[in-house]
Amino acid sequence: MAIRHGIVASSVALPPTVTLNAASNFNQELATLNATVDANGYSTTVKFQYSTASNFSSFTEVNAATTPITGQAVSSYANITGLSVNTTYYFRCVATNAVGTTTSSSLSFT
């Protein structure tokens, strides 16, 4: 009697994947916060959080200009204004879909 081994393929639902990219266009009053977000097949909202505290004990949250997203590996960004001169800002990206929420690590700019 022959024994057959088969592989059953199944799709696994995943929360968004987030890669944080360096801030750009920053000056004394403006910065563009950047990330690449893979929605993993679900409608995904994207927000950026920024703070002068590296532990994000308090922060400001802004919606990404490209939200919601449904595609894969989409560049996402948000422009922030009202920054102070000679101040270090920390930022991170938070993406949420029906499966869960992913918060990126943080980067900084001065």
Side-chain angles (χ1 to χ4, degrees), residues 23 26-31 33 49-54 56 60 80-92 106-110:
F26 56 90
N27 59 39
Q28 63 187 16
E29 301 228 359
L30 168 86
L33 309 180
Q49 298 172 343
Y50 66 97
S51 176
T52 56
S54 62
F56 290 86
T60 301
I80 58 174
T81 59
L83 304 177
S84 298
V85 177
N86 295 323
T87 302
T88 299
Y89 289 90
Y90 301 88
F91 69 100
R92 62 188 178 189
S106 64
L107 291 175
S108 65
F109 65 92
T110 302

Side-chain angles (χ1 to χ4, degrees), residues 21-92:
N21 303 315
S24 59
N25 305 321
F26 56 90
N27 59 39
Q28 63 187 16
E29 301 228 359
L30 168 86
T32 301
L33 309 180
N34 301 291
T36 303
V37 179
D38 186 333
N40 288 321
Y42 294 89
S43 179
T44 299
T45 58
V46 180
K47 297 180 180 191
F48 287 90
Q49 298 172 343
Y50 66 97
S51 176
T52 56
S54 62
N55 66 357
F56 290 86
S57 55
S58 65
F59 58 84
T60 301
E61 187 170 78
V62 294
N63 290 325
T66 53
T67 195
I69 61 169
T70 56
Q72 295 181 343
V74 174
S75 292
S76 191
Y77 69 92
N79 292 317
I80 58 174
T81 59
L83 304 177
S84 298
V85 177
N86 295 323
T87 302
T88 299
Y89 289 90
Y90 301 88
F91 69 100
R92 62 188 178 189

